[in-house]
């Protein structure tokens, strides 16, 4: 089967040309997007939003045990 | 060991989730609505070959692009919060959330990120037809992304198609189709996307009105307004129809929320539908919580019974029936639900003991009990009630739910009038003479956003204390982490989202002032 090289190249150039010819507001928008993604994925996710169960427990069995205990011992459940 | 959850932590975690969801929802509805409006405008350009329609399409596409770019990925923060602040909940929901969100990720990635590039970069570089198809695919992709997240939310309101596995402490999906075609999810999807179409339509109408008030771009503004008014009117009718269907479903699967929406303290046949009213505390109390009476109300007699059951004599349960039960009308009391929930909880405790003691036979036998349909339907269904202490705890904020619901409905009907008047003046050719109406269109711009946010407040406030209806209260779902860190991130988010909103509004205002390019 022939690989559609030409189509892929044209598609890539669509992106390259598009980014090259961005208007001034378009460039501003991309800067905002990149800053936003940096804050969200680098600062917030790493420093403020760890996955609590993955951080505290190594195996799924331990995580299940923890959640089972939380369900059983929830604040209003005194069984 | 019992980990007592600090109420400050719970309140801040809820406040943070509400803040991020509300801000996220400022960006999404415009994407949903404007994407279709742009696709319709480009279709007219494709059909007519009129260059003016190309200008119109490109202008609104620019505003769509600004909103899309600023809003993209703001929803990811909600997923961060699930893993950190609501880890017990995240685990408990298992693959119910995972599957729809994975599909959403794939659809969003392939449809939106691929075709949005063609939409913006492809003018004059791809054929007109391919460009048009790309614009439609972006609109469809955006709306399909909303489908999956709303399916997940629908499951939280009405958990179906799953089975709880005591070994993994997770709900496991047994029917993808039951989850997808959950009546709450279907109603929620159609009602939510149509509210997005209203946001998009009023946005286009408002900005077009501004051009007309400035006596600029008259042809452009009138054409844009016509498309938006017709699309908006159709969306309004769809919104009203799906709102009615949604309320009917809520009356069946979340009757406490429904009673709060109507501030119905005592159940009755021939129940009236309150068009609007002012509430006061009732002498009728559940524990320490006062129910509500009306200081004043405008009511359509028997309409609530007709709308919920199609019969004016149908009994609609009120808050006291839902708490105390009503045998005549087959309403189960809080105490009965709590008792059944405790049976499910005791079975889980027995399962845990059997596992710990290595009693494999008993463990497997208890696991089979959990897997049985009758246990799931009669006992596990009320599992969360075992964790609720008092009957009054299942009553949500009645005033907040009632006023949010009624204001949303009033605004919804107001938009119908707005679209009808716009179409009337456009066809009569007197739109520009009626400057009061142009001002009204401009002033109306924030109101669909408010209505849409109010809808979410009804959905989420009205189902408290549950994060998953009847299965898990928010107090069990929250992670035991420091309240200080949740407070800190609350303010970081408030700052970040406010900055994004200011950036969006300022870039948009600038582009609007520039106007469509020649």
């Amino acid at each position: 089967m022939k690989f559609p090289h030409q189509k892929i190249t044209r598609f890539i150039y669509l992106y390259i040309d598009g980014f090259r010819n961005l208007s001034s507001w378009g460039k501003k928008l991309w800067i905002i997007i990149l800053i936003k993604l940096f804050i969200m994925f680098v600062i917030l996710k790493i420093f403020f939003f760890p996955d609590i169960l993955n951080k505290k427990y190594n195996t799924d069995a331990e995580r299940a045990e923890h959640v089972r205990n939380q369900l059983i011992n929830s604040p209003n459940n005194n069984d | 060991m019992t980990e007592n959850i600090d109420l400050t932590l719970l309140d801040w975690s809820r406040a943070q989730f509400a803040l991020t969801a509300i801000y996220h929802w400022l960006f999404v509805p415009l994407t949903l609505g404007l994407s279709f409006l742009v696709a319709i405008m480009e279709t007219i350009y494709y059909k007519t070959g009129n260059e003016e329609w190309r200008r119109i399409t490109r202008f609104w596409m620019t505003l769509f692009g600004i909103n899309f770019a600023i809003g993209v990925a703001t929803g990811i923060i909600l997923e961060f919060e699930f893993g950190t602040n609501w880890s017990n909940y995240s685990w408990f929901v298992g693959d119910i959330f995972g599957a729809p969100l994975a599909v959403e990720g794939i659809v969003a990635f392939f449809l939106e990120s691929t075709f949005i590039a063609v939409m913006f970069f492809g003018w004059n570089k791809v054929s007109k037809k391919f460009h048009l198809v790309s614009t439609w695919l972006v609109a469809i992709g955006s709306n399909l992304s909303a489908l999956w997240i709303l399916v997940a939310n629908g499951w939280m309101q009405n958990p179906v198609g799953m089975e709880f596995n005591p070994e993994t402490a997770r709900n496991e999906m047994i029917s993808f189709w039951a989850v997808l075609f959950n009546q709450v999810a279907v109603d929620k999807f159609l009602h939510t996307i149509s509210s997005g179409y209203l946001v998009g339509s009023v946005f286009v109408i408002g900005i077009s009105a501004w051009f007309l008030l400035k006596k600029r771009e008259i042809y452009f503004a009138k054409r844009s307004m016509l498309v938006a008014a017709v699309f908006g009117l159709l969306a309004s009718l769809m919104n009203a129809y799906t709102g009615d269907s949604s309320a009917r479903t809520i009356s069946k699967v979340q009757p406490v929320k429904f009673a709060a929406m109507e501030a119905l303290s005592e159940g009755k046949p021939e129940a009236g539908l309150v068009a609007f009213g002012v509430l006061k505390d009732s002498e009728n109390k559940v524990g320490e919580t006062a129910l509500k009476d009306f200081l004043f109300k405008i009511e359509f007699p028997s309409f609530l019974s007709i709308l919920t059951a199609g019969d004016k004599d149908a009994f609609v349960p009120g808050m006291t029936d839902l708490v105390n039960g009503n045998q005549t009308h087959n309403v189960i009391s809080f105490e009965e639900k709590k008792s059944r929930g405790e049976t499910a909880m005791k079975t889980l405790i027995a399962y845990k003991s059997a596992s710990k003691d290595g009693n494999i036979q008993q463990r497997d036998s208890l696991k089979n009990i959990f897997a049985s349909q009758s246990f799931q339907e009669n006992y596990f269904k009320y599992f969360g009630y075992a964790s609720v202490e008092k009957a009054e705890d299942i009553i949500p904020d009645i005033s907040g739910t009632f006023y949010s619901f009624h204001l949303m409905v009033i605004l919804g009907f107001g938009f119908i009038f707005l679209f009808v008047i716009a179409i009337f003046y456009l066809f009569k050719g007197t739109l520009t003479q009626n400057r009061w109406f142009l001002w009204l269109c401009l002033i109306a711009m924030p109101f669909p956003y408010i209505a849409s946010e109010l809808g979410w407040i009804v959905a989420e406030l009205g189902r408290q204390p549950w994060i998953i209806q009847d299965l898990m209260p928010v107090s069990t779902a929250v992670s035991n982490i420091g309240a200080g860190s949740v407070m800190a991130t609350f303010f970081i988010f408030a700052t970040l989202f406010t900055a994004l909103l200011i950036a969006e509004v300022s870039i948009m205002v600038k582009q609007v002032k520039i106007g469509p390019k020649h």
Side-chain angles (χ1 to χ4, degrees):
Chain A
M1 196 178 89
K2 273 190 177 178
F3 201 65
H5 286 293
Q6 273 193 322
K7 278 188 179 174
I8 289 175
T9 312
R10 271 184 62 195
F11 191 69
I12 291 168
Y13 271 103
L14 184 78
Y15 275 84
I16 294 170
D17 281 351
F19 282 113
R20 264 191 199 148
N21 299 317
L22 274 180
S23 58
S24 66
W25 68 265
K27 282 175 190 156
K28 204 182 284 178
L29 214 54
W30 270 102
I31 292 168
I32 293 171
I33 293 169
L34 293 174
I35 293 171
K36 176 181 74 177
L37 294 178
F38 177 79
I39 293 173
M40 280 169 52
F41 287 99
V42 179
I43 300 176
L44 290 174
K45 179 63 186 158
I46 294 175
F47 296 106
F48 293 98
F49 287 95
D51 189 311
I52 293 288
L53 294 181
N54 280 341
K55 194 179 160 191
K56 277 189 177 173
Y57 304 102
N58 295 322
T59 64
D60 276 355
E62 287 173 347
R63 289 176 199 119
E65 183 63 19
H66 167 79
V67 174
R68 202 164 29 240
N69 288 338
Q70 292 291 301
L71 292 171
I72 291 169
N73 301 319
S74 74
N76 297 318
N77 181 21
N78 298 317
D79 278 319
Chain B
M1 187 188 82
T2 303
E3 294 186 33
N4 289 314
I5 298 298
D6 177 6
L7 270 181
T8 314
L9 166 68
L10 181 59
D11 288 343
W12 276 103
S13 299
R14 289 179 63 198
Q16 187 187 75
F17 199 86
L19 173 90
T20 42
I22 284 172
Y23 258 115
H24 175 56
W25 197 250
L26 287 175
F27 301 110
V28 177
L30 187 60
T31 299
L32 298 179
L34 206 50
S35 61
F36 269 118
L37 281 161
V38 167
I40 292 167
M41 289 165 179
E42 191 176 339
T43 306
I44 299 172
Y45 165 59
Y46 178 79
K47 288 274 182 194
T48 61
N50 182 345
E51 283 300 310
E52 194 60 33
W53 277 105
R54 181 182 153 111
R55 274 182 79 225
I56 293 171
T57 305
R58 292 198 69 165
F59 175 78
W60 295 112
M61 196 177 274
T62 302
L63 299 191
F64 166 81
I66 294 166
N67 180 66
F68 186 89
I70 302 274
V72 77
T74 50
I76 295 281
I77 286 179
L78 299 171
E79 291 186 38
F80 292 173
E81 287 171 30
F82 283 141
T84 303
N85 300 358
W86 306 98
S87 59
N88 298 331
Y89 157 81
S90 287
W91 185 267
F92 186 69
V93 297
D95 60 353
I96 310 280
F97 251 52
L101 292 182
V103 177
E104 193 243 332
I106 293 164
V107 169
F109 180 77
F110 283 108
L111 278 180
E112 292 175 83
S113 61
T114 307
F115 291 104
I116 208 161
V118 179
M119 194 173 156
F120 283 97
F121 300 153
W123 289 104
N124 305 326
K125 288 178 186 155
V126 296
S127 71
K128 269 183 170 181
K129 195 174 186 177
F130 184 60
H131 194 276
L132 178 66
V133 169
S134 300
T135 306
W136 275 103
L137 286 176
V138 168
I140 293 165
S142 305
N143 281 262
L144 279 181
S145 291
L147 168 71
W148 300 108
I149 195 76
L150 293 170
V151 163
N153 185 274
W155 184 84
M156 291 163 74
Q157 315 275 346
N158 181 35
V160 290
M162 86 300 179
E163 188 178 286
F164 179 70
N165 182 343
E167 189 180 342
T168 59
R170 301 187 103 158
N171 286 286
E172 293 169 358
M173 196 187 295
I174 53 170
S175 169
F176 176 75
W177 302 111
V179 174
L180 181 62
F181 292 110
N182 177 0
Q183 191 56 46
V184 175
V186 172
D187 290 330
K188 189 172 275 288
F189 173 65
L190 296 174
H191 195 56
T192 307
I193 59 165
S194 56
S195 80
Y197 303 159
L198 288 180
V199 170
S201 300
V202 177
F203 177 83
V204 171
I205 284 177
I207 292 175
S208 303
W210 180 82
F211 279 109
L212 293 174
L213 284 166
K214 290 275 173 193
K215 297 187 170 62
R216 281 179 59 191
E217 303 288 351
I218 306 295
Y219 181 89
F220 155 87
K222 283 185 177 174
R223 293 295 174 281
S224 299
M225 203 183 255
L226 183 61
V227 171
V230 173
F231 182 69
L233 181 60
L234 294 173
S236 289
L237 298 175
M238 176 181 168
N239 195 252
Y241 179 78
T242 55
D244 170 57
S245 166
S246 200
R248 199 172 306 118
T249 305
I250 290 170
S251 74
K252 292 182 179 75
V253 301
Q254 294 176 301
V256 174
K257 181 198 279 185
F258 189 73
M261 283 158 63
E262 286 296 321
L264 191 63
S265 298
E266 300 283 347
K268 51 189 167 188
E270 298 184 20
L273 180 74
V274 177
F276 190 69
V278 177
L279 301 177
K280 63 172 184 176
D281 278 348
S282 165
E283 286 176 6
N284 191 358
K285 286 186 175 182
V286 175
E288 293 298 308
T289 304
L291 299 178
K292 299 291 172 189
D293 276 341
F294 286 93
L295 201 62
F296 135 88
K297 65 178 169 180
I298 301 167
E299 190 180 59
F300 298 108
S302 304
F303 260 57
L304 198 61
S305 292
I306 294 168
L307 286 176
T308 51
D311 175 7
K312 80 177 179 62
D313 295 321
F315 179 82
V316 181
M319 210 58 90
T320 46
D321 304 284
L322 295 161
V323 170
N324 302 325
N326 185 326
Q327 280 192 329
T328 316
H329 297 286
N330 293 321
V331 181
I332 304 174
S333 70
F334 166 77
E335 288 304 329
E336 174 64 21
K337 287 180 181 175
K338 186 166 169 62
S339 164
R340 294 188 192 191
E342 282 168 351
T343 301
M345 184 63 78
K346 281 173 188 158
T347 312
L348 182 64
I349 292 168
Y351 177 88
K352 186 190 162 192
S353 300
S355 291
K356 199 176 169 187
D357 299 343
N359 188 341
I360 295 167
Q361 199 179 355
Q362 195 187 357
R363 187 196 67 186
D364 290 348
S365 147
L366 289 163
K367 194 175 177 185
N368 287 337
I369 289 176
F370 266 102
S372 77
Q373 201 180 345
S374 79
F375 184 82
Q376 293 274 339
E377 284 174 4
N378 295 309
Y379 296 98
F380 184 73
K381 188 182 175 187
Y382 305 107
F383 182 72
Y385 282 85
S387 304
V388 177
E389 197 180 354
K390 298 175 295 228
E392 65 208 77
D393 294 341
I394 64 159
I395 298 175
D397 175 352
I398 298 172
S399 299
T401 310
F402 173 85
Y403 287 121
S404 300
F405 174 64
H406 283 80
L407 194 53
M408 176 191 72
V409 173
I410 289 167
L411 285 171
F413 280 103
F415 301 137
I416 295 178
F417 288 111
L418 187 87
F419 297 131
V420 168
I421 295 169
I423 293 168
F424 174 75
Y425 283 145
L426 278 162
F427 278 102
K428 217 177 156 203
T430 54
L431 184 65
T432 45
Q433 286 102 297
N434 288 285
R435 292 179 68 81
W436 69 270
F437 180 69
L438 297 177
W439 276 109
L440 181 69
C441 292
L442 190 61
I443 293 164
M445 282 177 73
F447 289 99
Y449 284 97
I450 294 170
S452 199
E453 297 284 7
L454 287 172
W456 277 111
I457 289 170
V458 174
E460 302 305 305
L461 193 66
R463 71 167 152 128
Q464 295 304 315
W466 306 110
I467 193 164
I468 305 169
Q469 186 69 38
D470 297 349
L471 289 185
M472 184 180 246
V474 285
S475 54
T476 306
V478 73
S479 310
N480 200 358
I481 54 175
S485 71
V486 182
M487 284 164 71
T489 46
F490 175 91
F491 289 109
I492 291 173
F493 283 148
T495 311
L496 177 68
F497 277 110
T498 306
L500 287 175
L501 198 60
I502 291 169
E504 163 153 353
V505 173
S506 62
I507 297 174
M508 261 197 193
V509 167
K510 204 171 173 185
Q511 288 304 311
V512 170
K513 281 182 179 168
I514 292 168
K517 285 176 186 150
H518 288 276

